[in-house]
Amino acid sequence: MASKHHHGHHTAHGDHHGHTHHVNGVANKKATMTVDIPKAGISETDAIRTPKTPQDEGISWFESSSARREPVQVYELVLEADGGPNKNRAYTRLPPPSSPYILRLTLEAGTPASKSGVLKTNFPLYGGSFERTKFVEKTLPHDFSKPIQIDLPISSAGVFVYWIEYDGKNGERVKGREGYFNIDPVLRAPKRTPILTADGCLERPGSGGATTKETTHIPLDGLSILTLVSKWMGTLEDWSSFYKEAAHRGYNMIHYTPLQQRGQSMSPYSIADQMAYDRSLFPPSYEGNKEQGTLEVLKTLKKAREEYGLMSLTDVVLNHTADNSDWLQDHPEAGYSPMNTPHLTPALEIDDAMIEFSGSLEANDLPTVIKSQGDVDMLVDAFADVLNSRNLWQYYVIDVTKEKKAVRHVLTTGTIPPWDGPDVNGKSAVELAKLLRSLEKIENLGAFSSRFCVTVQPEYAASMLKAAYPECDTAMWVETWGKVLDVVNVPLYEEWKEDTRVALDNIKNRVKYTRLDPNGPTLGPISATLPLVETYFTRIPHNPRTAKHDPRALSVANNGWIWDANPLQNFALRPSKAYLRREVIVWGDCVKLNYGNGPEDNPWLWKHMTEYVTLLAGMFDGFRMDNCHSTPLHVGVTLLDAARVVNPDLYVCAELFTGSEEMDITFVSRLGISSLIREGYNAWDPKELSRLLYRHGVRKPIGSMDGACMTSPAEIPPPTGKGPSHPGFVTPLQGSAPHALFYDLTHDNESPLHKRSAEDALSTGALVAFSHCATGSVKGFDDIHPKLLNLVNENRIYEITNKGGIGEVKRVLNNLHTEMALQGFDEAHVHQENDYIVIHRVEPKTQRGYLIVVHTAFHKGNKDTGYITPIRLKRTKVKYIMGATLNVHSYDDVKDDKLIKGLDSTLELLSPVEGRDGSDGDGPYQEIFIPEKFPPGSVMLFSTQLEGLDPHMDMLCKEGVDGAFSNLTLTDLNVILYRCDGEERDATDGQIGAYEVPDHGKLVYCGLQGWMAPLKHIMQFNDLGHPLCGHLRNGTWAMDYIHERLEKQVQALPNLAAPAKWLKDKFEPVKSRVPAFLRPKYFAIVVSEAYKAARRAVIEQSSDFVASGHSFTQDLALSSVQMYGLVKSASLDPGKVVPCLAAGLPHFTNGWARTWGRDVFISLRGLFLTTGNYAAAKEHILAFCSTLKHGLVPNLLDSVRNPRYNSRDSPWWMVQNIQDYTLMAPDGLSILSEPVKRRFPQDDTWVPWDDPVAYSYSNTVAEIIQELLQRHASGISFREHNAGPNLDMQMKDEGFQIDIQVDWKTGLIHGGSAHNCGTWMDKMGESTKAGTKGVPGTPRDGAPVEITGLLKSTLRWLSELSNSGKFPFKGVEATIDGTCRLVTYQEWSDLIQASFEQNYYVPLDPSEDAAYNVNPAIINRRGIYKDVYGSGVGREWSDYQLRCNFPIAMVVAPELFDVKHALEALHVADLALRAPLGMKTLDPADLQYRGNYDNSNDSDDPHIAKGLNYHQGPEWGWPLGYFLRAYLFFEKASGAHLDDTIHRLLSALLPSRRHIQEDPWAGLPELTNENGAYCHDSCRTQAWSNSTLLDFLHDVHHLSTKTQ
């Protein structure tokens, strides 16, 4: 902050008492009382009176099984993967624990921080008292599949730190990022009577706002604080009148400037004796001692509380003490002196020179009174000559002569160590000088401890010289060393010159301000006792008492402040040169305290200041931390901790000038600051004031959603594990901004008359008092003091008067301010127009409100009413409460020798203003029109009541939701939750599509997930400016759409009737009774409740793996519903519409493109089997079994009407899924005997689906599997039906020929050609321009590794079933070497087993090549498995390409792989292929690698034209799941520590976790471009991408369950 008023206290402190330049301050000290401080009888806190701590009581409360209670509130803080909060949640503020509640820390299972994770915190989790350095531990639950939750029972205030400690990658313990939570104190005060009557009129004084005997808790937002400067209040005997006035004006806390014994400057902030109360508080005749004085103050504060309802807040000054503090004579070490801080020595010398110079002006014919800038220049120039004569450069530089002598002595008589530094032979003097600096061999640089303290060890110098110039003699070496040091000294001289220049500039500026500037203090004649500028040091007198101290210790640095300084850097310590450069705006009456790094550095000072703060903590409800940003953090932390031992509910506020929100958070979180002081008078115009009001004085906007929508009911287990569970509510935490104590004007800043206008006191005072935060003011502001009073020189007493000022308006608004906080008026709206500001505060349940209209007065002299658009309040009745204008009769200071008086002014009450009725398309409204006379400095206050809205509307919008969503199938839930535009249009014959929100765009889903995508953000941040909110305010079309789309589909899906009716019934009152501005809130409640109920309905129908799983598992499981739905143009049955699985959205939604054989069977295990949807799995298996033709199943199903058979891998994926089904589904083996009607006749003739021959015979699933194997064993060769452009317009004619055969030497299946692409890497070239039309991007002809793995898996499984009599066949008939014979499944399996490693493994060590079937000439990368074995002629190199397919074979047939080789290959893939959301499809080191896919590319580059690189580098999602599963298996097989493995692999899923949570499609994409970049042509959510990660998580779940 650069403007002066941001540093109000410091500026005032420095310029209103800092000019008392007592050079020998202590010598003039008056005697003070000396009595031991009272040790007991001061604190009235519960913590002192009861044997149990508040935390013990809270734990007992939770463990008790006694009477019924209100639901338990749980605040949930979700941690990041590394165990720390995200940036927005690093600081969390929690409410006062007037009733115990729970803070829940939640961490996703399997994240890095969960690995042997331990919560560490200094929160007394197990009871007892808080100790800053005492940390308790709680071990995190060890479960990879369930969310990790740690519940902290909260029943005491304070600030606490926490972090998660866990095992890192290499086994080392890692400390996670720290987080802080600050629990507000419980503040208790007498309750006051309402300020308004039951019918909303003002109570008369004495009735409204009167103090009662009942006690209530005052939330921080209900604090109304009045600052009183105690020296202007008279003696304690006089204070009752001030209390009466403050209570009458509605304040409930008094902020006292320091009450301790003042120093000789008489500033309250210059404390001479921290343990004594100031003598001026007592009558002149008072003779009591310190202890008696303390008890008198305590009695006065008690009276203020009990009789007037006024709590107490005092300044705590930790940074400095008065320059005449008596104890400094005994403990000068408490200050910074050249003795303990040697670098201050030249700064003191400058200060001494300045004092001496100031006393010699007359003798030197220099002016002592400054009248012009010329005088300033003359004096500063003269002082510059004085400084130059002091030769201060000697503190900076090396004494060359002395150093040469020292080196000569070593060279001639000493032992010279051998040179062990860098080569210096022949280096010049300049080079040697640079080397000395870089090697840090110049000692005491910047030490300034004495003249010529900078030096170089002569032994080191001699060694360097001999190494640099071995042929020279001693004389030459010495001479050369002098030249080196001359070079070293050059920048040191420059540093001295620059520091001197800055120091003189700062002196000049200070002289000008203090003696010439009309806004400065315009000090009198310059002398030795009132020097040119403030003294930077206090001189403790030399006397018998101080004789025991080193004289250097008796000059101690004064405190002050520095513009834009780093608050975490102590400017009295090195490397700061602030005192030397005269950069400190110094307070000449305050000695800066030197605490060191801890109590061991200065035991007496720490003890003394601890006694000081504990004394105050036992007497006051709160502290204002004076000069907080300059108080060393460790000092503030330690002393506040000590204070909170005495008063656990200590309220702490501070004004920070860090200029950084991040730095503010640092101070708030470390010190436990309850409120940061903000100031309305920092605004420079009405717009800026409205911004400050919104930022600090609005908790939530009207119509906020977070509480109503994001709080969920739950059964809460006891946080300690003991006692009963309780019903409760869980509210997510989003992090906190520091709470504000919002002052209209603080006590150390200029008056309204000076800064704006006197009339503005009413307008700004009213706006601040109306704010939803702690608020504050000063008596001088309420009384309209014409100017800022001088804390030092002003000795009059405040006037108590009921005339003038704004006290009567404050009475109403301050009382109302506290009442609104207690009654939950948590929502507000701020509107600024021209010079007007309107604030409307509302209690969200009843929609009762108060509205204030204010005409600001930023400029003097303006009396015009101005203009604001009539304030229209929809469906709201308005009642006038009061209005007033401040009339200032004279702006002249009222002269009075004894009393401090405000300007001559009166409050003119306005005539009532009635709301005018009207109506429009949104219904009735009332408007407030500004009266003709409403000049700047006017206010009006109204009560408001929204009509027609049920106060229980929130609950009504939620009632019955579970019943309405209870009897739904997963197909129904697909419609309710999802359905993208293409699916919905298909299912409804084009009648319904995705909803388009103006200025936002089309929602990605028609169902609730489509709405929740924007609502999630809106609800979390109450972003009522979002286009969706604007659209809802403009009309109810969105509500109609949501239920009508379901109603229109009830005929096809009858179960939709219940949720459609529920939605319609809930929206109807929202449409008819809720005003437009509240529609977004109630829309969000209805939609979010429906969404949560629908999601619960899915989870309840899911497997235990899903139902008990963490959020990532459940999010993935929801994608099974997302992909499985009913559309008219795609089905598993050609004769009727049945649900089927989409490959991905939005590109594969309907028609022939929806359901793909390969995609179905890669996805089926994860989406259906792991989630428990066995019926859907079976339906898909049977449907595809019916299509077997040529020994293949189709890739493109096209509703079984026109299937296409061009996929070599699809049949093997299907059989793998049948195997998975038999192992995972209840009674899974029975599927093998399930009869299936066959789509095509036995001779493979193509017939239409409705031909009589179609479906004319049946086989069992087992027979179909056998046929599939037999057809492959016999060899497959056919030309696709309908081959040509009508089937595939891109493919060349040769590509339609399908050939597959078994090599019976190896057992491997080979197939394909250079003209087709029969595996999942199936991109066909399309570009005529690039010459790639009809050229496959990745033909993979030969024996692709995953097909080999799937085949081996099938043979192993069937062999086991056959041998146990559960499969009716033994093997296949095959012609081998001309003989047809039975090849058993085991025999075929053994062939593959025997040949696999030899044919697929590429050895890491070239010396092993002979043992494997490899061609070293074309090996690109070693230690991997081939992607294909036996690629076609001319493409042999493609065998050796590193791709992401071999892990698939590892998962389905791990027995094929050597464990060591497998792990080596996986490690290579981990480094080369693994990407944020998937796996690279090709090694980036491959010449063909092209990582970015663009299907619209129309270039002539054959590698990328028309997206030919689809599988040549872009990162596909689904192979990641197989990679992780393979790694998990082989790490386990190798004997590795399984927990380490699982944690490492789960860490790879962190980007996927984030993506599925944040992406509006709520799924994982088909593919991404290089390094996870977005790919426009990708499906936004893809079945197999979601599925294979579910497979992996299911494996982890199975392993962890098995382990447990």
Side-chain angles (χ1 to χ4, degrees), residues 1105 1112-1113 1116 1546 1549 1589-1597:
F1105 158 64
F1112 186 41
T1113 297
L1116 289 169
L1546 286 171
L1549 295 182
L1589 294 192
L1590 275 170
D1591 286 332
F1592 168 65
L1593 293 175
H1594 187 264
D1595 287 357
V1596 171
H1597 173 74

Side-chain angles (χ1 to χ4, degrees), residues 64 70 91 103 146 204 225 358 370 372 452 529 532 540 645 737 764 1042 1146 1160 1246 1411 1421 1427 1483 1540 1556 1597:
S64 169
E70 293 295 317
Y91 168 72
L103 171 63
K146 297 180 180 179
R204 59 182 177 79
I225 300 175
S358 300
I370 293 176
S372 67
F452 298 123
T529 55
L532 184 67
I540 300 172
V645 170
T764 298
I1042 289 174
V1160 163
W1246 180 276
R1421 195 188 279 271
D1427 185 57
D1483 185 352
D1540 292 345
I1556 201 169
H1597 173 74

Side-chain angles (χ1 to χ4, degrees), residues 1146-1311:
H1147 302 323
F1148 305 118
T1149 57
N1150 50 34
W1152 62 266
R1154 180 175 177 85
T1155 304
W1156 300 61
R1158 178 187 299 121
D1159 294 67
V1160 163
F1161 292 118
I1162 291 175
S1163 305
L1164 187 143
R1165 182 183 187 275
L1167 294 190
F1168 291 155
L1169 296 181
T1170 73
T1171 63
N1173 190 357
Y1174 305 115
K1178 184 176 180 179
E1179 290 164 3
H1180 282 78
I1181 290 171
L1182 297 181
F1184 275 90
C1185 280
S1186 76
T1187 66
L1188 188 72
K1189 185 173 184 280
H1190 304 298
L1192 304 178
V1193 295
N1195 193 24
L1196 290 173
L1197 183 65
D1198 196 13
S1199 301
V1200 206
R1201 295 174 179 175
N1202 298 293
R1204 183 179 180 189
Y1205 294 85
N1206 64 333
S1207 168
R1208 290 184 283 131
D1209 57 352
S1210 294
W1212 301 109
W1213 281 111
M1214 182 183 78
V1215 178
Q1216 179 65 39
N1217 268 212
I1218 297 172
Q1219 178 186 166
D1220 293 334
Y1221 183 91
T1222 65
L1223 297 173
M1224 298 174 70
D1227 192 25
L1229 273 175
S1230 64
I1231 196 173
L1232 296 177
S1233 57
E1234 192 82 27
V1236 179
K1237 289 186 176 183
R1238 301 291 294 275
R1239 164 72 174 83
F1240 292 102
Q1242 291 176 326
D1243 62 0
D1244 291 337
T1245 303
W1246 180 276
V1247 296
W1249 69 273
D1250 53 358
D1251 188 286
V1253 178
Y1255 298 108
S1256 60
Y1257 75 102
S1258 299
N1259 290 117
T1260 65
V1261 170
E1263 290 168 342
I1264 289 170
I1265 293 172
Q1266 178 63 18
E1267 179 182 335
L1268 186 155
L1269 266 75
Q1270 185 59 60
R1271 295 293 289 266
H1272 280 79
S1274 302
I1276 296 171
S1277 181
F1278 68 95
R1279 182 173 171 81
E1280 289 190 73
H1281 172 73
N1282 197 31
N1286 288 334
L1287 180 62
D1288 190 329
M1289 61 186 298
Q1290 308 300 341
M1291 187 176 281
K1292 293 181 180 178
D1293 188 66
E1294 304 96 311
F1296 294 106
Q1297 178 61 37
I1298 307 297
D1299 293 300
I1300 304 171
Q1301 60 282 327
V1302 177
D1303 177 357
W1304 287 109
K1305 293 178 181 177
T1306 61
L1308 305 180
I1309 293 178
H1310 292 252

Side-chain angles (χ1 to χ4, degrees), residues 450-461:
S450 62
R451 294 175 186 268
F452 298 123
C453 62
V454 183
T455 185
V456 177
Q457 287 295 327
E459 293 81 6
Y460 185 85

Side-chain angles (χ1 to χ4, degrees), residues 315-336:
D315 278 286
V316 174
V317 183
L318 302 180
N319 239 356
H320 52 251
T321 192
D323 59 342
N324 66 323
S325 293
D326 182 61
W327 51 262
L328 280 174
Q329 298 194 49
D330 298 316
H331 297 284
E333 75 279 4
Y336 292 94

Side-chain angles (χ1 to χ4, degrees), residues 1059-1077:
K1061 183 179 186 305
W1062 184 89
L1063 287 162
K1064 183 178 182 180
D1065 289 348
K1066 297 306 172 187
F1067 282 139
E1068 193 54 44
V1070 177
K1071 292 164 59 178
S1072 61
R1073 290 182 236 158
V1074 172
F1077 70 89

Side-chain angles (χ1 to χ4, degrees), residues 1095-1169:
R1095 187 176 169 113
R1096 284 195 298 272
V1098 174
I1099 302 303
E1100 288 168 2
Q1101 297 180 55
S1102 299
S1103 63
D1104 179 67
F1105 158 64
V1106 174
S1108 65
H1110 51 63
S1111 64
F1112 186 41
T1113 297
Q1114 295 183 350
D1115 288 341
L1116 289 169
L1118 265 290
S1119 71
S1120 68
V1121 177
Q1122 183 186 93
M1123 296 293 169
Y1124 177 58
L1126 197 68
V1127 296
K1128 292 184 176 179
S1129 65
S1131 176
L1132 298 178
D1133 187 319
K1136 63 181 180 181
V1137 174
V1138 297
C1140 55
L1141 188 71
L1145 306 177
H1147 302 323
F1148 305 118
T1149 57
N1150 50 34
W1152 62 266
R1154 180 175 177 85
T1155 304
W1156 300 61
R1158 178 187 299 121
D1159 294 67
V1160 163
F1161 292 118
I1162 291 175
S1163 305
L1164 187 143
R1165 182 183 187 275
L1167 294 190
F1168 291 155
L1169 296 181

